[in-house]
Amino acid sequence: MWLKPEEVLLKNALKLWVMERSNDYFVLQRRRGHGEDGGGGFTGLLVGTLDSVLDSTAKVAPFRILHQTPDSQVYLSIACGANREEIMKHWDWLEQNIMKTLSVFDSSEDITNFVQGKIRGLIAEEGKHSFAKEDDPEKFRETLLKFEKCFGLPEQEKLVTYYSCSYWKGRVPCQGWLYLSTNFLSFYSFLLGSEIKLIISWDAVSKLEKTSNVILTESIHVCSQGDSHYFSMFLHINQTYLLMEQLANYAVKRLFDKETFDNDPILDDPRQITKRGLEDRAHSEQYNAFFRLPKEETLKEVHECFLWVPFSHFNAHGKMCISENYICFASQDGNLCSVIIPFREVLAIDKTHDSSKSVIISIKGKTAFRFSEVIDFEQLVAKLRLKCGTTSNQYHDISTEVPISSHSTDPSDNIEVQSLPCQREYSETVNTEALMTVYHPQNLETLNSKMLKEKMKEQSWNILFSECGRGVTMFRTKKTRDLVIRGIPETLRGELWMLFSGAVNDMAAHPGYYAKVVEQSLGTCNLATEEIERDLRRSLPEHPAFQSDTGISALRRVLTAYAYRNPKIGYCQAMNILTSVLLLYAKEEEAFWLLVAVCERMLPDYFNRRIIGALVDQAVFEELIRDHLPQLTEHMTDMTFFSSVSLSWFLTLFISVLPIESAVNVVDCFFYDGIKAILQLGLAILDYNLDKLLACKDDAEAVTTLNRFFDSITNKDSPLPSSVQQGSNVSDEKSSHIRVDITDLIRESNEKYGNIHCEDIHSMRCRNRLYVIQTLEETTKQNVLRVVSQDVKLSLHELDELYIIFKKELFFSYYWCLSCPVLKHHDPSLPYLEQYQIDCQQFRVLYHLLSPWAPSANRDSLALWTFRLLDENSDCLINFKEFSSAIDIMYNGSFTEKLKLLFKLHIPPAYTEVKLKDPSKGDELSEEELLYFSQLHVSKPAGGKEAVSAKHSPEKGKGKIDIQAYLSQWQDELCKKEENIKDLPRMKQSQFIQFSKTLYNLFHGDPEEELLYQAIAVVTSLLLRMEEVGRTLHSPTSSAKGFSGIVCASRGPSEGKTEIPLEKDPSLLKEEPQWSFAFEQILASLLNEPAVVRFFEKPIDVKAKLEHAKTSQLSSRNKI
């Protein structure tokens, strides 16, 4: 098959390859040892061994063709083949079709460029027809059967793809197959009788990275629950790694970070995930991030072509990317030239009639773009016309020289304005001017040096607009970036922020949306609005715009409207500072859409309860510090210092630490370059202060050093009045530091760290996101264990193991039960204990795995009653504390504690009579029956259940958390006394019958079974006599006929008499007086039976029980 041309150093390759054919431009080679009699001697044997162990690609392709560059040791691999017949077809094609053409070229460089272009074209053509071949249904079906057979996962587990690779067990590679499914990374190898089977759930992965060392040239390192796993020898390691990264991040978002998990129909249903779907999604995300487009855009087509750049008079080579609403272009070097063309701006789409294969797109503002050398350009024109509903212009002969209009269009032309019913009301309530134009209008009569510099900046931008166009469709070039680094002029700041952030597209797509949201959010009262009101006057309080009702009201409307739009984020403290600056330079509606762009696209997950996005970027920042400032890393004993000091840098884009006149220049760069600008500036600040930081003895001294540096930063070109500038108000004592101009600092950050690519930042974000979320999860676990350990006898290690089993069972439900109600209850903002809760079905699985009473015949009923006992607030969910309390009693409880638990299971509210729909199944409950019985409520005193429920969960049913209710609940728990056995209600006769049955079931199969049955017979007889005597004293005529059933049942199975007449004759229960027993009576009677006491006090190997549960959890759940 044809390969993407890659360089090969022939000098070293000759040791492993044998030349079979060659000509002036191409070489055909065979792998040494392949196809030779006797294996090619010792050298062939050695190469064959290397191939089988270290080089899986050689086994796939023993033949290859290289393109040779004359007078050079560097060759390009262009084709490979599994056999001689396949490679000869490629060789013959080259000789017949390419050789004659190459003689036309004068230079070897032209020959190489032509060959590379031709091979790429062949690959593109093959790609159109290889779709079915690549995803061979029959082969995939066979692999799926192997996958299911090897790992025994449920049918719902979707296999996404599989790869041949090696798994390193110590220093020995084991060749096998890596299977990537929606919830697991699995590996299987069977060589020379040795089997290796590995299953790692994606949610347990804390580190996923590509590594290389002396032994492993390139491998994928997976860290899960403290264990490291290395996989290598992939045919396409980058593709494999990206897919693994996507699956791991998808699982982490779905399970741990539900508040930021989008309601994506594909990701929400794991069975819809495919390899191609994930790849397409990754391309769309990259496309949207690069061009700052709405998240909803999906990349549909990519065409390699040339774009005519009229002001530079050259064709820029790059890619045309097409989505539902946009046509975008980026040059091969992304910084050279890029363009965004919304379909709403397109007037006509045409094609030229010459050989240039050109597509011409005419837009509003007398501008047109010419894309040439477009493959299938006629079909593309037809598609684009259909998509945007335009027709051809009336011009039949279109010039190939398409100029950009020299007249810059007004920016307002690029935003569609529609007449709205609420237009008048909107203009009355919402500011239509930026606050800076109201409070600091530029006075043209008093031009000072700063104002002149500002006018020169404006002139520079106007020249750029005349060359590159103005508005959303303008060319973005290196010159654009250079002007942004110098600082955007005050009058253009709002317009260009909207443009570079992509907010202009959001606003154009939703006309009238802001006015509508403002109207709907007015008067709302919740936790977010209370916090907003508290912070309004803390937002740039020194600026006159926010010392008046005009600025405060605008800030209130924007923040409240956003909290109403996105209740998942609501309001975060840093948002008020950022929005204040946005309102200074942008109109109110524009400030709203800028805030949307920042919170939802440019800084994802920054402004939620756990600020995960900011923590992730801090981890990225630490990684960059290690790479670029190693001496600082060596000096600092704890890298968390950088996290603590830089959090405000990221959350407020340096606005909270820099003077306002300098901070806005940072915001300029942020809207143009994204988070890259903030990371670069952070590195430049640390680099500038490197010597001082290395001299610091502790963290406090380092913080002081950085604060002094921030105080010394100025913006010497800022036209703002001195009363507003914060840098100009610094006292002389503080200003002994050397002044640093923000423009110089930003320029230096670009020069030193401009080589940090957005793709690298994205990869670091994905990698560190796993680590950050797993760290937060570990914190949650430690807090839960600390609380629970105070009330149980289980050791911390045992609790840790139990928590892992508990949480894993919960996640199994997430994996395969799409309508799982528990998934809706997961909320990381809840108290630690309430974050993970299980329902009755999940509890039954865990009960079967962990309970020493699980072998009982009526174990499903016992699990049901235990769950109902633990579910005090009747919400059909229990947390880990409640779960562990029951398990602890079963494992470590005294005889009295265990008997009390069994007693409580057979009285309300835990006990409910279980009537099976299908008696043939014995005592086994179906999932529907289990759910039904777990939801049955036993009558309680008036208001009891509701009061308990409200007290147990203060945040339920309310718009905000009730702190008082939490304090009251905490106080009640502190004051809770140990339950007195005298307070337990009496057990009625039907309940006692069931209690006796349960004891028989528990004793069945025990070595002392006969003794235990006899002991129960004795106890029931004794209790019968006690009850008969008691009733005789109260009512001499009363009889105890009903007790004959218990005595009969008490003989046990060994005597064959288990029938209970009471159950056969319900009328007897009505006629006879109801008898009951107190817990003390049953306890006193059973304490006299040594066999029963020995049974309940028998020690349990907790460690072995937990280990068995961990290993068999998945398979046992499948059986159920």
Side-chain angles (χ1 to χ4, degrees):
M1 65 179 199
W2 299 109
L3 300 174
K4 183 181 176 183
E6 289 185 359
E7 289 186 356
V8 173
L9 198 61
L10 198 63
K11 184 178 178 182
N12 294 332
L14 287 172
K15 298 173 184 176
L16 302 176
W17 295 87
V18 179
M19 189 180 300
E20 293 224 326
R21 294 194 178 198
S22 68
N23 55 40
D24 292 338
Y25 303 105
F26 301 101
V27 178
L28 191 155
Q29 294 181 330
R30 171 178 50 80
R31 189 73 164 170
R32 193 179 292 276
H34 183 85
E36 296 179 12
D37 295 334
F42 177 74
T43 307
L45 184 63
L46 180 63
V47 173
T49 305
L50 283 170
D51 287 348
S52 63
V53 177
L54 295 174
D55 189 4
S56 61
T57 61
K59 291 187 292 182
V60 176
F63 294 93
R64 70 180 183 182
I65 296 174
L66 306 179
H67 165 60
Q68 68 179 54
T69 307
D71 306 321
S72 173
Q73 287 292 322
V74 178
Y75 284 56
L76 295 174
S77 63
I78 58 172
C80 68
N83 51 55
R84 194 179 301 274
E85 183 182 351
E86 182 186 354
I87 204 70
M88 284 307 297
K89 283 181 182 178
H90 287 57
W91 180 262
D92 292 341
W93 188 90
L94 288 169
E95 285 196 324
Q96 293 168 16
N97 297 279
I98 299 292
M99 289 293 292
K100 295 176 184 177
T101 311
L102 295 182
S103 59
V104 176
F105 294 98
D106 295 326
S107 70
S108 59
E109 189 178 347
D110 291 341
I111 292 172
T112 302
N113 289 338
F114 176 80
V115 171
Q116 284 182 311
K118 196 66 185 175
I119 298 300
R120 285 197 179 100
L122 289 170
I123 293 170
E125 282 299 310
E126 278 186 349
K128 293 179 181 177
H129 309 292
S130 65
F131 192 80
K133 188 178 177 182
E134 182 181 311
D135 299 330
D136 184 359
E138 193 60 39
K139 188 177 179 184
F140 193 84
R141 198 175 295 116
E142 288 177 15
T143 305
L144 184 60
L145 289 172
K146 287 180 186 175
F147 172 68
E148 291 173 350
K149 183 181 177 183
C150 285
F151 303 105
L153 297 171
E155 291 180 3
Q156 300 97 313
E157 182 64 16
K158 172 76 180 290
L159 177 64
V160 177
T161 190
Y162 57 96
Y163 298 100
S164 171
C165 72
S166 288
Y167 171 65
W168 289 79
K169 197 173 182 181
R171 298 177 72 88
V172 180
C174 305
Q175 191 67 27
W177 289 93
L178 180 71
Y179 300 89
L180 305 182
S181 58
T182 49
N183 299 298
F184 296 96
L185 177 156
S186 313
F187 177 83
Y188 184 81
S189 172
F190 186 82
L191 290 172
L192 302 175
S194 175
E195 183 184 56
I196 296 175
K197 190 184 291 185
L198 184 71
I199 302 178
I200 302 171
S201 57
W202 291 118
D203 57 80
V205 174
S206 57
K207 183 182 283 188
L208 182 66
E209 60 182 355
K210 279 192 296 182
T211 60
S212 60
N213 53 40
V214 178
I215 299 174
L216 302 174
T217 52
E218 210 171 11
S219 64
I220 296 175
H221 173 212
V222 180
C223 187
S224 170
Q225 295 177 347
D227 297 325
S228 287
H229 308 275
Y230 291 89
F231 302 90
S232 68
M233 300 164 207
F234 293 95
L235 185 59
H236 304 291
I237 191 167
N238 289 333
Q239 180 192 38
T240 309
Y241 175 74
L242 288 173
L243 202 61
M244 291 169 71
E245 191 177 66
Q246 278 185 287
L247 286 168
N249 274 286
Y250 153 68
V252 161
K253 275 190 174 184
R254 184 168 183 252
L255 299 176
F256 299 134
D257 199 17
K258 185 66 179 165
E259 61 182 315
T260 60
F261 185 76
D262 299 327
N263 294 322
D264 191 311
I266 296 175
L267 290 186
D268 213 28
D269 183 357
R271 291 172 299 189
Q272 300 301 317
I273 294 176
T274 62
K275 176 187 173 186
R276 194 166 296 278
L278 286 171
E279 287 172 349
D280 291 344
R281 186 182 181 89
H283 292 148
S284 293
E285 287 174 354
Q286 189 178 3
Y287 164 72
N288 292 338
F290 184 84
F291 293 107
R292 304 282 161 73
L293 300 179
K295 289 192 294 185
E296 298 76 27
E297 288 298 305
T298 305
L299 182 62
K300 300 293 187 185
E301 298 179 56
V302 178
H303 298 272
E304 202 161 324
C305 64
F306 292 88
L307 172 63
W308 175 249
V309 185
F311 52 88
S312 299
H313 300 288
F314 79 99
N315 277 312
H317 180 233
K319 291 180 180 177
M320 177 200 290
C321 306
I322 302 169
S323 59
E324 294 94 338
N325 301 297
Y326 298 88
I327 302 168
C328 301
F329 176 87
S331 59
Q332 209 75 348
D333 173 9
N335 294 326
L336 185 64
C337 172
S338 65
V339 167
I340 301 168
I341 309 172
F343 280 127
R344 65 177 185 270
E345 297 289 322
V346 176
L347 295 175
I349 298 173
D350 295 282
K351 59 186 177 183
T352 56
H353 301 294
D354 53 23
S355 60
S356 64
K357 299 180 182 178
S358 296
V359 177
I360 297 179
I361 300 174
S362 303
I363 65 167
K364 298 173 185 176
K366 302 177 183 177
T367 308
F369 297 90
R370 189 191 71 182
F371 300 91
S372 58
E373 299 299 326
V374 182
I375 299 173
D376 297 331
F377 73 106
E378 292 181 343
Q379 292 179 17
L380 179 61
V381 168
K383 279 186 203 171
L384 293 178
R385 284 177 180 170
L386 192 65
K387 193 179 278 282
C388 62
T390 64
T391 56
S392 169
N393 270 333
Q394 298 303 312
Y395 310 112
H396 295 285
D397 182 22
I398 296 178
S399 168
T400 56
E401 295 287 330
V402 182
I404 293 251
S405 171
S406 59
H407 302 288
S408 61
T409 59
D410 186 80
S412 61
D413 292 342
N414 296 299
I415 302 173
E416 296 177 6
V417 179
Q418 297 184 10
S419 178
L420 300 167
C422 58
Q423 193 73 36
R424 184 177 301 171
E425 184 182 346
Y426 169 78
S427 62
E428 290 174 1
T429 58
V430 175
N431 290 347
T432 54
E433 293 293 333
L435 294 177
M436 194 62 79
T437 61
V438 177
Y439 286 89
H440 305 294
Q442 292 189 6
N443 189 351
L444 299 177
E445 295 178 2
T446 57
L447 285 177
N448 53 28
S449 60
K450 290 185 176 180
M451 288 301 296
L452 285 172
K453 284 184 180 179
E454 186 74 2
K455 288 299 172 187
M456 288 170 65
K457 277 188 189 177
E458 288 180 29
Q459 188 60 30
S460 299
W461 278 95
N462 287 329
I463 293 169
L464 182 77
F465 292 149
S466 66
E467 292 178 349
C468 302
R470 187 169 184 174
V472 69
T473 57
M474 73 181 287
F475 280 89
R476 296 153 200 231
T477 63
K478 188 177 182 301
K479 188 175 179 182
T480 315
R481 178 191 297 278
D482 293 339
L483 289 178
V484 170
I485 290 171
R486 285 172 52 192
I488 297 174
E490 300 278 312
T491 54
L492 296 174
R493 196 161 258 141
E495 175 193 339
L496 293 176
W497 283 359
M498 288 289 289
L499 181 65
F500 297 143
S501 66
V504 64
N505 295 315
D506 294 323
M507 193 166 97
H510 302 90
Y513 176 86
Y514 177 64
K516 183 180 175 184
V517 173
V518 167
E519 187 179 353
Q520 291 172 343
S521 63
L522 279 176
T524 55
C525 184
N526 50 44
L527 184 62
T529 55
E530 286 183 12
E531 290 179 347
I532 289 168
E533 287 299 325
R534 188 179 65 234
D535 289 345
L536 284 176
R537 311 231 170 236
R538 302 177 188 173
S539 312
L540 297 186
E542 66 285 340
H543 198 285
F546 299 102
Q547 294 168 1
S548 69
D549 188 57
T550 305
I552 293 293
S553 298
L555 183 59
R556 179 188 291 113
R557 284 192 295 270
V558 173
L559 292 174
T560 306
Y562 186 79
Y564 182 86
R565 165 192 165 85
N566 193 342
K568 286 183 180 178
I569 291 178
Y571 170 75
C572 180
Q573 274 193 327
M575 290 167 67
N576 64 315
I577 299 171
L578 176 61
T579 309
S580 302
V581 175
L582 299 179
L583 281 166
L584 288 178
Y585 294 98
K587 299 172 185 176
E588 190 174 318
E589 184 178 9
E590 292 174 346
F592 171 79
W593 287 113
L594 283 168
L595 185 64
V596 169
V598 171
C599 295
E600 297 175 17
R601 284 191 287 109
M602 300 186 74
L603 296 179
D605 307 342
Y606 260 61
F607 301 100
N608 54 28
R609 291 183 179 91
R610 299 194 291 176
I611 57 170
I612 287 175
L615 296 176
V616 169
D617 281 345
Q618 284 182 301
V620 171
F621 187 50
E622 287 180 17
E623 196 172 327
L624 290 171
I625 293 170
R626 280 191 287 268
D627 292 342
H628 295 275
L629 300 170
Q631 61 272 53
L632 192 58
T633 309
E634 292 167 9
H635 176 72
M636 301 300 293
T637 54
D638 187 4
M639 287 294 284
T640 55
F641 163 76
F642 299 111
S643 298
S644 59
V645 80
S646 66
L647 182 61
S648 63
W649 303 358
F650 291 98
L651 281 173
T652 66
L653 308 179
F654 284 96
I655 296 169
S656 62
V657 294
L658 288 177
I660 182 66
E661 66 276 8
S662 300
V664 289
N665 284 38
V666 178
V667 180
D668 294 342
C669 297
F670 167 74
F671 280 129
Y672 192 84
D673 271 332
I675 193 62
K676 177 175 178 276
I678 305 300
L679 293 167
Q680 286 177 183
L681 185 60
L683 289 172
I685 288 168
L686 295 180
D687 188 22
Y688 195 94
N689 293 278
L690 185 60
D691 294 337
K692 292 178 183 176
L693 289 171
L694 291 175
C696 291
K697 297 174 182 175
D698 53 34
D699 291 354
E701 193 176 344
V703 170
T704 305
T705 299
L706 289 173
N707 287 338
R708 284 178 180 165
F709 174 73
F710 288 132
D711 288 339
S712 70
I713 292 178
T714 62
N715 185 351
K716 62 177 186 287
D717 296 333
S718 174
L720 291 179
S722 57
S723 59
V724 175
Q725 290 192 35
Q726 297 169 354
S728 63
N729 297 328
V730 180
S731 62
D732 293 336
E733 289 78 18
K734 289 184 180 178
S735 62
S736 57
H737 261 59
I738 299 172
R739 291 291 188 177
V740 180
D741 187 69
I742 187 64
T743 308
D744 296 335
L745 190 62
I746 291 173
R747 186 180 292 109
E748 188 177 329
S749 73
N750 272 272
E751 289 171 357
K752 282 192 174 182
Y753 307 108
N755 59 345
I756 298 171
H757 298 294
C758 294
E759 295 80 10
D760 298 332
I761 292 172
H762 174 74
S763 180
M764 285 190 281
R765 272 179 160 179
C766 290
R767 186 165 64 245
N768 284 289
R769 186 182 188 85
L770 294 173
Y771 169 75
V772 166
I773 291 185
Q774 292 292 2
T775 303
L776 291 172
E777 285 300 305
E778 183 64 23
T779 303
T780 298
K781 182 178 80 171
Q782 294 304 326
N783 280 290
V784 168
L785 298 187
R786 191 180 67 250
V787 171
V788 173
S789 63
Q790 299 171 6
D791 301 326
V792 296
K793 297 173 185 174
L794 291 164
S795 68
L796 268 176
H797 176 71
E798 290 166 346
L799 270 179
D800 192 297
E801 295 288 300
L802 190 63
Y803 183 86
I804 291 170
I805 295 168
F806 175 88
K807 190 170 161 185
K808 181 57 68 180
E809 182 55 41
L810 181 66
F811 284 0
F812 283 157
S813 299
Y814 291 0
Y815 292 166
W816 304 300
C817 183
L818 300 180
S819 58
C820 177
V822 187
L823 187 61
K824 298 173 185 174
H825 289 78
H826 175 234
D827 184 353
S829 67
L830 291 176
Y832 292 122
L833 278 171
E834 306 301 322
Q835 287 186 23
Y836 294 112
Q837 302 181 86
I838 56 173
D839 63 12
C840 195
Q841 167 64 11
Q842 295 153 351
F843 179 79
R844 171 171 65 171
V845 178
L846 291 174
Y847 186 89
H848 289 188
L849 279 171
L850 294 165
S851 174
W853 302 341
S856 170
N858 67 333
R859 62 180 185 172
D860 278 4
S861 297
L862 280 175
L864 168 66
W865 297 331
T866 308
F867 180 84
R868 287 172 59 88
L869 177 67
L870 298 173
D871 182 21
E872 293 180 2
N873 65 339
S874 302
D875 65 349
C876 299
L877 294 169
I878 63 170
N879 61 36
F880 180 71
K881 184 178 181 181
E882 294 160 339
F883 170 77
S884 59
S885 65
I887 296 296
D888 183 58
I889 291 173
M890 294 178 197
Y891 285 170
N892 300 316
S894 64
F895 173 74
T896 304
E897 288 170 334
K898 290 178 180 177
L899 194 65
K900 185 168 73 172
L901 175 61
L902 277 172
F903 182 88
K904 290 167 75 175
L905 295 182
H906 292 81
I907 59 174
Y911 179 75
T912 181
E913 191 174 354
V914 177
K915 295 180 180 178
L916 300 174
K917 294 179 183 177
D918 186 3
S920 63
K921 290 184 178 180
D923 289 326
E924 186 179 334
L925 293 171
S926 69
E927 192 169 338
E928 292 76 18
E929 289 171 328
L930 195 69
L931 186 65
Y932 169 74
F933 288 123
S934 68
Q935 292 173 343
L936 280 177
H937 296 308
V938 179
S939 58
K940 292 185 179 182
K945 184 181 74 180
E946 291 78 4
V948 171
S949 178
K951 187 170 80 172
H952 188 75
S953 187
E955 74 287 338
K956 288 182 181 176
K958 298 185 179 183
K960 59 179 181 177
I961 296 172
D962 189 342
I963 304 298
Q964 286 298 119
Y966 270 124
L967 292 172
S968 175
Q969 178 185 340
W970 181 48
Q971 188 176 9
D972 289 347
E973 287 179 358
L974 289 175
C975 299
K976 194 182 288 181
K977 296 178 181 178
E978 191 172 343
E979 188 177 38
N980 194 322
I981 58 174
K982 292 183 179 179
D983 298 332
L984 292 171
R986 295 175 69 86
M987 183 180 281
K988 296 179 181 177
Q989 91 182 24
S990 61
Q991 297 159 3
F992 184 75
I993 293 170
Q994 184 58 59
F995 177 75
S996 302
K997 283 182 179 180
T998 298
L999 289 177
Y1000 281 127
N1001 287 328
L1002 288 178
F1003 298 155
H1004 182 63
D1006 190 87
E1008 294 186 317
E1009 184 177 3
E1010 286 296 324
L1011 282 174
L1012 289 165
Y1013 285 150
Q1014 289 173 15
I1016 294 301
V1018 171
V1019 168
T1020 49
S1021 299
L1022 177 62
L1023 289 170
L1024 164 66
R1025 295 192 191 97
M1026 290 169 61
E1027 178 63 18
E1028 190 174 2
V1029 169
R1031 280 197 292 164
T1032 304
L1033 292 173
H1034 288 87
S1035 175
T1037 59
S1038 62
S1039 163
K1041 294 177 185 177
F1043 244 81
S1044 61
I1046 291 294
V1047 176
C1048 191
S1050 68
R1051 305 294 179 188
S1054 60
E1055 297 184 28
K1057 296 182 181 180
T1058 57
E1059 60 178 278
I1060 301 175
L1062 286 171
E1063 293 182 355
K1064 293 182 179 179
D1065 188 5
S1067 62
L1068 195 64
L1069 295 176
K1070 296 178 183 177
E1071 294 171 5
E1072 293 294 329
Q1074 292 289 310
W1075 41 262
S1076 60
F1077 295 113
F1079 175 69
E1080 301 103 297
Q1081 293 174 294
I1082 296 173
L1083 176 63
S1085 303
L1086 289 173
L1087 277 171
N1088 290 322
E1089 300 298 329
V1092 177
V1093 175
R1094 281 197 302 274
F1095 175 84
F1096 282 108
E1097 290 190 341
K1098 194 184 301 179
I1100 296 170
D1101 188 345
V1102 178
K1103 183 180 178 182
K1105 197 78 177 169
L1106 292 172
E1107 196 60 42
H1108 175 262
K1110 282 180 75 175
T1111 54
S1112 58
Q1113 188 172 10
L1114 189 57
S1115 57
S1116 63
R1117 191 179 194 282
N1118 294 341
K1119 290 174 187 174
I1120 292 175

